[in-house]
Amino acid sequence: MKESEIVEKMCKVELAAADIKAISKARGFSLPDTRSPAHLESLLLSDVGLKAVFGTLERKEIIMLHFLKGWKKPVDAAAFERMTGKRNKWHGTFNQQYGEVFKQVKTRLIRKGILVFATGPARTDRKTQLERQRFAFPSPFHADLPPLFPSAKAFPGPGEYKNAFIRNKLDQLIHPRSAGATDPSPWEIKDGELYMGDAPFDVDTFFQWQRRRWLVTGELGPLHSGQQNARMSPMDALDYAFATLAPDEWIEPADLIPVLKMFCPEKQNPNPVKALRHGWETACLVRQQQGEKTWYRPAPPFEDVSQISAFDEYFSADKAGAGLQVDLATIPLGCLEAVARISKMRITGGVLTADPDMVRIGRVIHDICDTRFARWLTDTSHGFSQAFATASRRWGRQVVHGNLLVARVRDLGLKISLEKAFKDGKIIFLPGDFIAFPEGLRSRVEAHVTGNGFAVKTIDHTAKRKPRQ
């Protein structure tokens, strides 16, 4: 059931007169205004009395509501065991195990007008009414929810960032033997394209590699969230928790203990001291230290090339003057992604060098030609200057590719689906509902199209036409 359906059904069917009276008292509604289900629903979803009610909640209840906000889906009664601790753990039916849990939830949250519930339809599996009930924390209430970390501390400045972790990874491009044995994403240059593991290099690929390096320490437990009993993975729980912080707020590891117990109830929760330290060591987090205490928050996102200006600090012309040598000790990742996107990469004399690639430049010429980076490239390198000028002159007139297939895709949904499935740049989206891709990609493209319920029509323009009579 959707949240809106749960609210509507609760107001129409689920609430007894005593429940409505309790909700009205807690939220400050006038009883005559609650006689109509539509009026009750409108009042319930308003902000009337919300702050006063939130002020009466225990810490566990606030954390549980934060979990429901982060989980984004309705849950059953079993999910509240972590808040109430009332489950009969050893035997019995679902009702026997969670009946007391439901009573506690009704008293502590539903009758205070901040949690909604409704019973789903009966099915052939003969589940009881309690088993079919679903509970939700309405989205209009999210803004007024008290902070997850009331003890978060404000610090000025960006904190301490382990830049050496990033630089060590980039150095592996030149010195592959320094790569860790457990690193599944080694660098590789394939036909001039820079790869990390199986994926072309970009900032997002690098960020995901960082998170995997953090996870490989084993301090964060299971990678994926579990639907059974609505259990978040520790990584998802940390993502939500850190997202609630203001830009200058930091937390200590101990602040996470009750949050992890509520968000990811396991027999053994992660050790937050070790987990956050490993997060800092993999440059996923930054830290502030005072005496023996340490506070953490997420590292800032990698800069986009549009936010960078001092390109002379990261590049120098190669001896021929056609390409650019890359300084891996200083270059921001966003800048490396930008040059890799339009270049053929090579390693010569222990230096990563980027040469202009006409095909790759042609794919993105209109996206980047007016950017600060493109203007710097054309002013600095005669090779890139000539490539940009040639690509601009030929765009729309000449296809710089062999064995190319062109297809017309009129359905917008299919076009978006193709763009997501082939975001490695091997499909080019052209004006007039056309796409182009290498012939070797044909079977994958056709399989994707037919898998989405569309037919493939082929026209062979190389076939000989019959002579006119």
Side-chain angles (χ1 to χ4, degrees):
M1 284 187 291
K2 296 179 181 178
E3 178 188 301
S4 57
E5 296 171 335
I6 293 175
V7 176
E8 181 182 6
K9 188 171 183 181
M10 183 181 82
C11 293
K12 286 183 178 179
V13 179
E14 304 286 359
L15 297 177
D19 299 325
I20 295 174
K21 185 175 180 179
I23 291 171
S24 299
K25 181 178 179 181
R27 294 281 298 274
F29 302 154
S30 171
L31 278 174
D33 293 336
T34 63
R35 290 175 182 170
S36 162
H39 288 170
L40 176 59
E41 182 179 342
S42 178
L43 281 171
L44 188 70
L45 295 180
S46 72
D47 61 0
V48 175
L50 272 183
K51 290 184 179 179
V53 170
F54 283 138
T56 68
L57 298 183
E58 297 177 5
R59 184 82 186 118
K60 276 188 175 183
E61 294 164 347
I62 291 172
I63 298 175
M64 184 68 201
L65 293 178
H66 270 285
F67 168 78
L68 295 175
K69 176 184 173 183
W71 187 247
K72 298 179 181 179
K73 298 180 287 290
V75 299
D76 64 8
F80 292 91
E81 177 205 349
R82 69 197 75 177
M83 183 189 82
T84 66
K86 294 292 183 179
R87 177 191 173 192
N88 181 346
K89 298 184 179 181
W90 303 112
H91 59 82
T93 64
F94 188 91
N95 284 26
Q96 290 170 330
Q97 292 184 67
Y98 296 105
E100 184 60 30
V101 171
F102 173 72
K103 290 178 183 178
Q104 291 283 326
V105 170
K106 191 169 187 179
T107 300
R108 294 163 63 174
L109 298 176
I110 294 172
R111 284 194 162 192
K112 289 186 177 181
I114 52 175
L115 187 74
V116 296
F117 80 104
T119 307
R123 302 186 185 278
T124 56
D125 54 15
R126 297 182 180 180
K127 287 185 177 180
T128 65
Q129 180 175 324
L130 182 57
E131 288 179 283
R132 290 183 281 115
Q133 284 176 343
R134 294 296 177 266
F135 303 79
F137 177 51
S139 51
F141 299 170
H142 292 180
D144 291 304
L145 185 60
L148 184 61
F149 299 109
S151 59
K153 187 168 182 178
F155 283 107
E160 183 185 356
Y161 179 65
K162 193 166 184 181
N163 187 53
F165 178 80
I166 306 295
R167 296 302 147 189
N168 287 341
K169 177 61 178 176
L170 290 175
D171 185 63
Q172 292 169 12
L173 259 167
I174 309 301
H175 305 103
R177 291 182 181 179
S178 66
T182 59
D183 187 351
S185 298
W187 294 106
E188 188 176 359
I189 296 176
K190 302 178 183 178
D191 297 325
E193 187 169 7
L194 185 58
Y195 273 74
M196 273 188 71
D198 296 330
F201 165 78
D202 58 28
V203 168
D204 185 62
T205 299
F206 195 96
F207 176 67
Q208 295 305 323
W209 168 81
Q210 273 184 276
R211 287 166 69 89
R212 289 194 298 271
R213 295 297 295 169
W214 186 4
L215 282 166
V216 82
T217 64
E219 292 299 332
L220 290 180
L223 174 61
H224 301 291
S225 296
Q227 294 298 323
Q228 185 177 5
N229 288 348
R231 174 189 54 77
M232 269 195 197
S233 73
M235 182 65 84
D236 287 342
L238 287 178
D239 285 341
Y240 175 85
F242 281 125
T244 67
L245 296 176
D248 63 343
E249 286 186 337
W250 303 69
I251 58 171
E252 290 185 271
D255 296 333
L256 279 169
I257 294 174
V259 174
L260 292 173
K261 285 183 177 178
M262 193 76 73
F263 279 48
C264 31
E266 299 284 346
K267 292 181 180 178
Q268 291 183 341
N269 288 112
N271 180 323
V273 174
K274 291 183 179 179
L276 296 192
R277 187 180 71 245
H278 286 304
W280 177 78
E281 289 174 349
T282 54
C284 294
L285 304 177
V286 286
R287 71 184 184 185
Q288 298 265 15
Q289 292 182 299
Q290 287 187 0
E292 296 182 355
K293 288 191 173 184
T294 307
W295 290 263
Y296 296 89
R297 64 169 293 107
F302 294 117
E303 286 183 306
D304 183 81
V305 70
S306 63
Q307 301 170 285
I308 301 167
S309 57
F311 301 114
D312 290 314
E313 297 180 11
Y314 319 125
F315 298 106
S316 58
D318 67 351
K319 292 182 180 180
L324 293 171
Q325 294 183 331
V326 180
D327 184 354
L328 293 174
T330 60
I331 189 167
L333 291 182
C335 202
L336 180 59
E337 176 186 339
V339 74
R341 190 181 179 196
I342 57 174
S343 308
K344 280 190 174 180
M345 311 299 288
R346 58 185 169 87
I347 296 175
T348 304
V351 178
L352 180 67
T353 303
D355 297 312
D357 186 327
M358 278 291 302
V359 173
R360 305 192 80 195
I361 290 174
R363 293 173 182 170
V364 297
I365 185 67
H366 291 293
D367 295 331
I368 67 169
C369 62
D370 292 327
T371 64
R372 181 165 47 194
F373 182 51
R375 290 193 293 270
W376 179 86
L377 281 173
T378 54
D379 290 342
T380 304
S381 165
H382 77 265
F384 277 96
S385 178
Q386 292 176 354
F388 271 84
T390 302
S392 296
R393 187 172 61 252
R394 293 179 178 177
W395 197 90
R397 301 179 184 177
Q398 181 176 353
V399 177
V400 192
H401 206 301
N403 299 319
L404 194 72
L405 297 179
V406 177
R408 188 170 191 176
V409 182
R410 290 176 175 165
D411 185 86
L412 179 60
L414 178 58
K415 188 182 293 185
I416 293 172
S417 176
L418 285 165
E419 192 169 4
K420 288 181 178 179
F422 297 91
K423 57 184 179 182
D424 54 7
K426 292 183 179 179
I427 288 185
I428 304 171
F429 291 82
L430 306 171
D433 298 332
F434 288 96
I435 63 171
F437 51 90
E439 189 173 18
L441 207 63
R442 176 174 180 170
S443 60
R444 285 180 57 196
V445 172
E446 290 185 349
H448 186 87
V449 170
T450 56
N452 280 268
F454 294 87
V456 176
K457 182 179 179 181
T458 303
I459 300 174
D460 187 357
H461 288 286
T462 64
K464 292 182 180 181
R465 295 183 180 180
K466 294 181 179 180
R468 293 182 179 179
Q469 299 296 328

